[in-house]
Amino acid sequence: MKQRLLGWTKQLVIFLLLALVITTAVDVWRGKEFPKHNIPALAGMTLAGEQVDLAELSKDQAVVVYFWATWCPVCRFVSPAVETLSEFYPVVTVALSSGEEIRVKKYLQHHEYDFDVVNDENYDLGRDWNVKVTPTILIVKDGEVKWFTTGFTSLPGIWWRLMLS
């Protein structure tokens, strides 16, 4: 029994390391055209009516920037992690091509999300930031992208990137 358990543990560790290598390689490949320095402006009014300015917000602390969409199936798994982080860290989210404000507000209310959202109804911010995949998560500090990831990301994955920023 001990041998069997040791074998399963070894296989699990190998699988996790392989997954880490593959996801890192995919992020590097997807991020090659992504702006890291001299990032585009991300300033505007949230759905809650609050003014947000990423450059100003990221001066003193790392900020999670989350590009997502109501129509994105993977975002349904990542958004709860972003919601949890938003209770402890600054988070700016951008709803890409998700419809009019009322539609996005209903979506947020239905899923009980309280994070700040800038509605990018026409994909203007998405185009400026060269976002090709939803979800896209960035960690921005001092006006520079410190971390970039796309697709599924877990709460520990986002938190780890935040701590290293």
Side-chain angles (χ1 to χ4, degrees):
M1 181 66 167
K2 221 180 207 183
Q3 275 309 88
R4 188 179 278 176
L5 187 59
L6 186 61
W8 288 341
T9 303
K10 183 178 175 183
Q11 286 180 349
L12 179 63
V13 168
I14 290 170
F15 172 77
L16 290 175
L17 286 173
L18 184 61
L20 180 66
V21 168
I22 290 171
T23 57
T24 301
V26 168
D27 281 348
V28 168
W29 180 73
R30 284 183 179 162
K32 64 185 173 204
E33 296 176 11
F34 203 84
K36 303 262 189 303
H37 309 287
N38 301 321
I39 59 176
L42 199 163
M45 192 72 69
T46 67
L47 294 178
E50 297 176 18
Q51 192 67 29
V52 66
D53 181 354
L54 179 61
E56 189 64 34
L57 193 59
S58 72
K59 280 184 179 177
D60 299 326
Q61 58 197 341
V63 178
V64 177
V65 181
Y66 176 48
F67 290 94
W68 63 283
T70 57
W71 45 263
C72 167
V74 178
C75 297
R76 293 187 182 139
F77 296 101
V78 177
S79 292
V82 173
E83 173 67 23
T84 299
L85 279 173
S86 73
E87 296 173 21
F88 305 100
Y89 300 98
V91 172
V92 176
T93 76
V94 179
L96 300 170
S97 302
S98 293
E100 297 176 358
E101 283 190 16
I102 190 70
R103 182 170 187 250
V104 177
K105 284 181 179 179
K106 285 181 180 178
Y107 179 89
L108 295 169
Q109 186 177 29
H110 175 75
H111 292 282
E112 299 179 355
Y113 296 142
D114 290 323
F115 48 69
D116 290 330
V117 178
V118 175
N119 189 24
D120 186 16
E121 190 174 342
N122 298 317
Y123 205 74
D124 296 325
L125 288 171
R127 202 173 0 271
D128 290 348
W129 281 79
N130 203 24
V131 174
K132 307 263 191 229
V133 176
T134 56
T136 293
I137 296 176
L138 315 166
I139 306 299
V140 177
K141 186 169 183 195
D142 299 323
E144 292 185 5
V145 175
K146 302 295 183 183
W147 294 95
F148 167 92
T149 188
T150 59
F152 177 78
T153 306
S154 66
L155 178 59
I158 303 169
W159 181 82
W160 174 81
R161 288 172 175 92
L162 229 122
M163 293 299 102
L164 292 177
S165 296

